[in-house]
Amino acid sequence: MYWLWDILNVRNAQFRSPDALNSLIGFVSGLGLLPFLLLLSGSNPSVLIVFCYSLGYSCLVLPLINIAFVSHDRSSQKCGGFENSSRAFFLGLVFALAVLLSLISIHSDHPKRLWAFSCYICLLSFFHWSEFYVTAVYNYANCGVDIYMLTHSPEYVMAVIACALEYWIETLCVPTMLPNYYYPFPLIVNIFGLLLCFGGEAVRKFAMITTAQNFNHYVETERRNEHQLVTSGVYSYFRHPAYVGWLYWTIGTQVLLGNPICLIGFTVVGYRFLYGRILHEERHLLYFFGHAYSQYQEKVGTGIPFIKGYRING
């Protein structure tokens, strides 16, 4: 599979990770559905056409990916070739369908409704794919298909369903039941939410790249030999930039969708989760790094208002 990297002149060993390559190929192949659909059906296809073409495209492309790329160099693949590429392909496919939805919204009576939701789906699919890809490139030792975070927890799945339900209930049902209902969020608010998502995503990914092999999606209770305290880059501004990015990304998605109920709920739940998570994590970090981490705490805040973290002296 390395012939592709040779063509692109990618020489850095970490970018030649077979699992990162499988993921990238899978995601880009999923994105290929968009020009495929536009070429065959135009910019405003019916739901049935989209479904049929998507199914046919998946049945055609996914086996080809497995034959051409995934089936080779299995011994060097840590994450299971087909498990990896199929997840990435699915996320790329969802991203492509969301972009198509945004194009369809141009022809709809209420383009703003479809535009905001399609942006949300794009953000969601890219977030999950990039979590794995960045880990596979910069933190290969901790890489696994679970890093796609698609089945993170039942609570997470319920939260995604809840925000989608609120969005469509408020945009479709409420105006019908209340003729004088005024959609309270102007376009500038949706754009602000989108920018929050971009900023949060960037901060989180910079954090993952900066810490590289020191980053872990799970709280580590034992210090690895290679584990180092990172205080440079984005970590010179926040002690927990990955959490900062995730929180603002989460809040941004609900501002983008204009979901007042989920906005409040996600903010409260997110704060409570991070409050406990940071306390738990910093107990171990103080044990791992001792005075060095205590000094770091004095110089740099957590990055999340009203969350100070765990201090030995209280």
Side-chain angles (χ1 to χ4, degrees), residues 245-304:
W246 174 81
L247 180 63
Y248 284 103
W249 181 89
T250 301
I251 293 173
T253 59
Q254 301 314 300
V255 176
L256 167 66
L257 292 173
N259 284 352
I261 297 174
C262 282
L263 174 60
I264 296 171
F266 280 30
T267 302
V268 172
V269 172
Y271 256 86
R272 291 188 62 183
F273 168 74
L274 291 179
Y275 179 82
R277 174 96 171 198
I278 289 173
L279 282 178
H280 177 53
E281 184 171 322
E282 290 201 334
R283 287 192 186 99
H284 295 291
L285 290 172
L286 282 165
Y287 177 73
F288 294 163
F289 303 109
H291 185 61
Y293 193 79
S294 181
Q295 285 187 314
Y296 178 51
Q297 286 181 310
E298 295 298 326
K299 295 177 181 178
V300 181
T302 62
I304 302 174

Side-chain angles (χ1 to χ4, degrees):
M1 67 173 66
Y2 294 116
W3 59 267
L4 180 61
W5 277 172
D6 292 333
I7 292 175
L8 298 176
N9 198 33
V10 176
R11 302 299 177 188
N12 193 321
Q14 65 185 21
F15 285 96
R16 295 169 69 92
S17 156
D19 292 296
L21 177 58
N22 283 344
S23 180
L24 180 62
I25 291 171
F27 188 76
V28 172
S29 298
L31 291 178
L33 172 68
L34 182 61
F36 178 80
L37 277 173
L38 293 177
L39 181 65
L40 295 179
S41 60
S43 61
N44 192 23
S46 67
V47 174
L48 180 60
I49 289 177
V50 170
F51 175 78
C52 292
Y53 282 169
S54 300
L55 184 61
Y57 181 84
S58 301
C59 292
L60 174 66
V61 174
L62 201 52
L64 290 177
I65 295 173
N66 187 48
I67 294 171
F69 298 100
V70 178
S71 59
H72 300 289
D73 300 328
R74 288 188 184 275
S75 60
S76 63
Q77 296 172 14
K78 182 180 179 182
C79 302
F82 188 72
E83 288 182 270
N84 175 9
S85 61
S86 60
R87 284 168 170 78
F89 178 82
F90 167 75
L91 291 169
L93 201 73
V94 171
F95 190 100
L97 289 172
V99 173
L100 180 66
L101 182 64
S102 68
L103 295 176
I104 293 174
S105 71
I106 298 173
H107 303 280
S108 70
D109 295 331
H110 302 283
K112 180 181 171 183
R113 295 175 182 173
L114 290 176
W115 173 82
F117 191 74
S118 62
C119 285
Y120 167 69
I121 297 300
C122 285
L123 290 166
L124 191 64
S125 58
F126 182 81
F127 173 83
H128 284 283
W129 173 74
S130 61
E131 285 289 297
F132 178 89
Y133 183 74
V134 172
T135 302
V137 171
Y138 292 95
N139 190 11
Y140 189 65
N142 292 316
C143 185
V145 291
D146 59 315
I147 302 301
Y148 279 110
M149 312 296 281
L150 293 175
T151 54
H152 180 264
S153 66
E155 293 80 6
Y156 176 76
V157 175
M158 289 174 61
V160 172
I161 294 173
C163 76
L165 284 175
E166 181 185 353
Y167 178 78
W168 287 112
I169 288 173
E170 289 177 354
T171 55
L172 295 179
C173 299
V174 174
T176 302
M177 294 183 292
L178 302 174
N180 296 324
Y181 172 80
Y182 172 70
Y183 187 69
F185 293 95
L187 181 60
I188 189 65
V189 174
N190 301 100
I191 294 175
F192 176 70
L194 186 62
L195 294 177
L196 269 181
C197 292
F198 287 157
E201 176 80 358
V203 169
R204 180 172 174 84
K205 293 308 184 287
F206 275 126
M208 294 172 66
I209 292 170
T210 301
T211 48
Q213 71 272 14
N214 298 294
F215 185 87
N216 201 308
H217 283 79
Y218 306 97
V219 175
E220 296 185 87
T221 57
E222 295 182 5
R223 183 180 178 182
R224 293 172 282 113
N225 292 331
E226 67 275 14
H227 197 173
Q228 298 177 350
L229 176 61
V230 177
T231 60
S232 60
V234 70
Y235 280 84
S236 63
Y237 300 98
F238 317 117
R239 290 206 308 271
H240 298 281
Y243 295 153
V244 172
W246 174 81
L247 180 63
Y248 284 103
W249 181 89
T250 301
I251 293 173
T253 59
Q254 301 314 300
V255 176
L256 167 66
L257 292 173
N259 284 352
I261 297 174
C262 282
L263 174 60
I264 296 171
F266 280 30
T267 302
V268 172
V269 172
Y271 256 86
R272 291 188 62 183
F273 168 74
L274 291 179
Y275 179 82
R277 174 96 171 198
I278 289 173
L279 282 178
H280 177 53
E281 184 171 322
E282 290 201 334
R283 287 192 186 99
H284 295 291
L285 290 172
L286 282 165
Y287 177 73
F288 294 163
F289 303 109
H291 185 61
Y293 193 79
S294 181
Q295 285 187 314
Y296 178 51
Q297 286 181 310
E298 295 298 326
K299 295 177 181 178
V300 181
T302 62
I304 302 174
F306 312 114
I307 296 182
K308 296 182 178 180
Y310 182 81
R311 303 296 180 98
I312 294 178
N313 56 7

